[in-house]
Amino acid sequence: MDLKSNIPEGAISEKWTNHKFNMKLVNPANKRKYTVIVVGTGLAGSSAAASLSELGYNVNAFCFHESPRRAHSIAAQGGINAAKNYCNDGDSVHRLFYDTVKGGDFRSREANVHRLSEISVNIIDQCVAQGVPFARDYGGLLDNRSFGGAQVSRTFYAKGQTGQQLLIGAYQAMMKEVNKGGVTLFTSREMMELVIVDGKAKGIIVRNLRTGKIERHSADAVILATGGYGNAFYLSTNAMACNVTAAWRAHKKGAYFANPCYTQIHPTCIPVHGDHQSKLTLMSESLRNDGRVWVPKKKGDTRDPKDIPENERDYYLERKYPSFGNLVPRDLASRNAKYACDEGKGVGPTGLAVYLDFAAAIERLGENTIRARYGNLFEMYERITGSDPYTSPMSIYPAIHYTMGGLWVDYNLESNIPGLFVLGEANFSDHGANRLGASALMQGLADGYFVIPYTIGNFLADETPGACNADQSEFKEAEQEVINRVNTLLSINGKRTADDFHRELGMLLWDKCGMSRNAEGLKEALEKIPKIREEFWKNLKVPGDSDNLNSSLEKAGRVADFLEFGELMVRDALHREESCGGHFREESQTEEGEALRQDDKFCYVGAWEHKGENKPQELHKEKLEYSAIDLAQRSYK
Amino acid sequence: MSDKINLTLNVWRQKSPKSAGKFEEYEVKDVDVNSSFLEMIDVLNEDLTKKGQDPIEFDHDCREGICGTCGAMVNGRPHGPLKNTTLCQLHMREFKNNETITLEPFRSTSLPIVKDLVVDRSAFDNIIKSGGFISAKTGSGQDANSILIPKPDADDAFNSAQCIGCSACVAACPNASAMLFVAAKVNHLAKLPQGQAERKSRVKNMVLAMDKSGFGNCSNAYECEAACPKGISVANIAAMNKDFMKAGIFS
Amino acid sequence: MLPIKQYFASSIGKKQIAAVTGLMLSAFVVIHLLENILLFKGPEVFNAWVDTLQSTKPFLYIIEIGLLGVFVLHLFTTFKIVVENKRARKKGYKEEGATKILVKIMPISGTALLLFLIAHLIDFRFTNHHGPASIVMGNDLGLYGLVYNYFQNIFRVVGYCFGLAALGCHLSHAIQSVFQTFGIYSEKYNHVIKKTSVGLATGLMIGFSTIAILIYLGYAPTA
Ligand SMILES: Cc1cc2nc3c(=O)[nH]c(=O)nc-3n(C[C@H](O)[C@H](O)[C@H](O)COP(=O)(O)OP(=O)(O)OC[C@H]3O[C@@H](n4cnc5c(N)ncnc54)[C@H](O)[C@@H]3O)c2cc1C
Ligand code: HEM
Ligand code: SF4
Ligand code: FES
């Protein structure tokens, strides 16, 4: 099948405007006849559900969480970007666009990014109108900060809890529609299968996680806003239950999976403490605004950091990237931490950590200023590690944080399956090979509030409302598949837990498909994963039954999908013989050891098609063209 | 660094919402003091699973103290002994070797037990649904900086908005009242200029929805404030009482 | 605005009824203490005050019935509050947190208070003010005599003090609670409110008890 990106004609800055005008509209009186399923109630899902219901559509919203407000978006700390130029420091829609494309290492779709930048301004207006309590200055105006290496201050924030406040805003907007009857909420429901009727997405099969009941739901279109797959790595900054299941089920029903190897590694996380570690905690990137990253110059130096004199410290980011210093993009900061540790200069009990030091900032600004800026983060750090960052430097290490890859979508956010739309982190669209800080929240909300309300109409206008019902054979078959799968998981009765397999897979992916990759390692992983998967289906142990709350069973289903997905991720990484963004391919680097992109060979989106169980997926390419920006090697020197 | 301790856990086990539950005792050996409380249960659960027993169901997700999913009574205190800390952020260095820890679900009629330590908090969603929002349709927002909000008001609203909906306040309250949760939301929106248009209907509807869910009445015991992992103040309750009175009688 | 019935059926409405009625009762209790202090002015002054009150008769009855109404309303609402509270958590915890004891025992201190008040009314309001029980050293000293004789018995003094202890406990929490119920909260003055509440409650408790004890010890004039 051809990958049609459906990018509108015209100059980059007019595409979206023209497209909005050219799209078909659904008559207001007819909208209520259409039912739309929204899976996921994070920023992307809640905002979509609320906006579609406001337009008059009937929305059925699903999430596996017990309440929509628990979606993982809640954990975002740092902030959300918008090209408001409130600081008069030279920001503009075009600059945000430029920064995002460049930050994504020229692997994102230019037209999508421009739209995102245009919409960014409306998002802030909308959120403020809803009562999101963004930080303000003494004049009562919104406060901005510079974040994640941006050279302008365009990030809006609410202390270290921006994601929480934005999600609560979107959740409340959705609950208002629930109250009016436009949105029906289905919580504690996990989507287990996508239902396709006559080639179009027409419904889903879900499992009620509280009662175990398998349910069929039909609709005129299906929206997936199910978040990222970072948990494939077992240890990540994602919430425990984040998973790839919804996306993967859709993929196996025909949706292409784009750029699965693009994962983002966040440089400032709290290092691993031991074998039973269940997740990694992110420390907001804003810490790098005032913290200085260093390691001892001497290998294996176990002295207390305070006893290491200045001239025996290597502030490697400041040394290598004098103009950006500690504020280089995430991929560079992460990779350099890895190099330092690989050289044996890592600190802490595991040697897998570097210092993030605030001593200089405290001396310059005073402890009170630092407390005002980072007080809650410092407290969190101390609570977790038992060490006080005011008096000794933090230890940090990179961790998996975000996934730029996702289901392939066109400009309308529609996948190659008609009627299946994908929003938020679950799609691949806007961040290319690397995401800039504070732009995921922006994208999720842009997709939900301001893109899907228009583009879904364009699709629905040609659909007969209510053409399908959940008693059709397609639904019953899909339901049976799900039931069989659940029963199989429960009946294996082997010796190892799902967590156990997950850990094994995660470790392998982190090792071979993590911060830096090479063909040999990737090939090794490609051989090992099927073996783990094989053992999984023979030796898995799932306690309990399927007719009530059983988190082990939930976990097992998710791990089963990770085990299939992980292989695709590695396959994608192996085929992409270039370094770009979060994907650092050791064979492709400059003489100085910096990432080397290969635009002549790889300037495309790699979208994979499922070809059947245990068969390699087929690669389709969407060529990326840049009309508004010149393709250039990134440089942060 | 890696100290180990042994513990006895006394855990409430209940198979389903309707079945009778009981306490069961478990010995947990060699717990790493740097691990979190939930990681300690993870280890116990892996053990139980391998032994063919049902693991303990407990709710959790972000493990960063922000999603509000986790929570249980640890020795009679919601989220355990540390102030301003969710259960997932509680670490084992707070416990002594050979200590016995009693683990119970949050108990209240309005948040019924689903299984073991997991409770059903949909009553909270119902309360928000009844009025915990500002009706600003998508696209209707004016330029964000056209609304000036004095910093103290913005900070106040933010402080109230920090509530993570964990229901520890209900669990801690001798009357199982949800006043702190409701008041936090009422106040978050009441303190902002954008929230004024619906201020009166909001407080009325939310209080009535809270009552309808069957939560207890507030006796001003302030146990909620002491248990709240986000430090939500009972000043919110006072303010809501006043707002409710204004809305219910004087308007 | 809400329909009055709905307003006062709400949790906050009920609390406000309990608070207003409780406050009215508290006001009465304060006045009552002042009355009791008159005991030390001797039988004549005290009885003269009693007679003045009696002379307003139909009016006095209205006040008494009003007071009774307030009391019943207080009982009724707080009873409803307590029942609902119990229903909101049917099964308690194995290990209890440390709820402040005064709050926890509000229903108990209230019930003790109720029993005490019933006994108190039987003893003083509904016993004939002139009769054998009023005779002190051969003189019928009316209500004054009744009170005087009553407190010659150590068990009655102790019982009375217990009743007042209940009042003390009840009001220590109750008065500060009224402020919160009506939305008066300030970081700055909370400790003042709290201290006033406990102070007033203990003041009342000590005031009433001291009077009884002093009478027992013979400090009240007999003529
Ligand atoms: C620790 C952390 C900090 C971050 N900080 C920032 C930041 O400062 N700025 C920024 O811009 N971005 C940040 N990000 C990234 C950003 O938070 C996320 O990318 C974004 O919130 C994702 O939103 P979403 O709506 O796509 O998905 P999510 O919020 O993850 O929501 C997924 C939803 O899908 C549901 N779901 C998933 N699978 C199923 C299924 N099978 N069936 C039913 N429901 C399902 C879930 O219940 C949930 O409701 C951060 C991320 C992390 C992990
Ligand atoms: C002289 C008699 C009494 C006085 C002065 C009095 C006063 C008060 C006051 C001021 C309150 C506080 C209301 C608030 O929280 O805002 C209160 C509460 C209460 N009273 Fe009384 N009261 C009296 C008698 C009783 C009796 C006889 C009972 C019960 C049998 C009772 C039961 C209660 C209860 C249970 C509460 C707590 C309600 C809650 O939890 O909010 N009281 N009282
Ligand atoms: S008020 Fe505090 S304790 Fe209650 S739900 Fe909110 S965060 Fe939890
Ligand atoms: S698991 Fe999210 S708050 Fe504890």
Side-chain angles (χ1 to χ4, degrees), chain B residues 175 217-220, chain C residues 14-29 71 74-79 81-82 85 103 105-115 117 167 170-171 173-182 204:
Chain B
N175 307 337
N217 303 288
C218 177
S219 288
N220 305 332
Chain C
K14 279 192 293 262
K15 283 283 301 175
Q16 290 175 342
I17 298 182
V20 171
T21 52
L23 220 49
M24 288 164 126
L25 294 174
S26 305
F28 166 75
V29 174
F71 188 72
H74 186 77
L75 277 187
F76 181 76
T77 10
T78 54
F79 180 75
I81 289 174
V82 171
N85 291 351
V103 186
I105 62 168
M106 280 304 272
I108 301 171
S109 61
T111 311
L113 205 49
L114 175 65
L115 296 177
L117 288 177
L167 180 73
H170 198 72
L171 291 187
H173 172 67
I175 293 171
Q176 52 182 308
S177 181
V178 170
F179 285 83
Q180 173 81 352
T181 301
F182 284 104
L204 288 171

Side-chain angles (χ1 to χ4, degrees), chain A residues 249-294:
Chain A
R249 298 279 118 204
H251 170 66
K252 291 182 81 172
K253 284 279 157 90
Y256 292 179
F257 212 112
N259 302 335
C261 79
Y262 290 165
T263 54
Q264 180 163 77
I265 295 172
H266 195 286
T268 52
C269 303
I270 299 178
V272 175
H273 65 68
D275 303 340
H276 297 301
Q277 181 110 15
S278 59
K279 76 155 281 169
L280 295 169
T281 302
L282 175 113
M283 301 299 296
S284 169
E285 192 157 29
S286 60
L287 290 170
R288 283 199 282 144
N289 287 345
D290 286 308
R292 299 179 71 196
V293 177
W294 64 276

Side-chain angles (χ1 to χ4, degrees), chain C residues 144-211:
Chain C
Y144 182 92
L146 192 65
V147 174
Y148 185 90
N149 286 334
Y150 186 86
F151 289 119
Q152 295 312 313
N153 179 335
I154 181 75
F155 294 108
R156 284 181 173 162
V157 174
V158 171
Y160 185 80
C161 291
F162 265 114
L164 285 154
L167 180 73
C169 291
H170 198 72
L171 291 187
S172 288
H173 172 67
I175 293 171
Q176 52 182 308
S177 181
V178 170
F179 285 83
Q180 173 81 352
T181 301
F182 284 104
I184 302 163
Y185 180 100
S186 107
E187 296 282 332
K188 214 161 138 199
Y189 295 112
N190 271 346
H191 68 282
V192 180
I193 293 176
K194 207 165 157 181
K195 280 185 191 137
T196 315
S197 176
V198 176
L200 206 65
T202 3
L204 288 171
M205 175 174 85
I206 293 175
F208 280 108
S209 321
T210 315
I211 292 173

Side-chain angles (χ1 to χ4, degrees), chain B residues 15 19 27 38 43 49 56 63 82 84 111 125 136-137 153-154 177 182 188 190 201 207 222 232 247:
Chain B
K15 261 201 141 29
S19 61
E27 301 291 329
L38 299 184
V43 175
T49 307
I56 301 162
R63 298 208 176 184
L82 267 197
N84 294 339
L111 313 175
D125 284 336
K137 276 195 173 183
D153 292 356
S177 160
V182 180
H188 157 205
S201 59
V207 169
Y222 303 167
I232 306 285

Side-chain angles (χ1 to χ4, degrees), chain B residues 124 162-170 180-181 184 224 227-230 232:
Chain B
F124 272 20
Q162 286 194 81
C163 165
I164 56 174
C166 66
S167 81
C169 44
V170 178
L180 193 62
F181 166 76
C224 49
C228 174
K230 295 292 143 181
I232 306 285

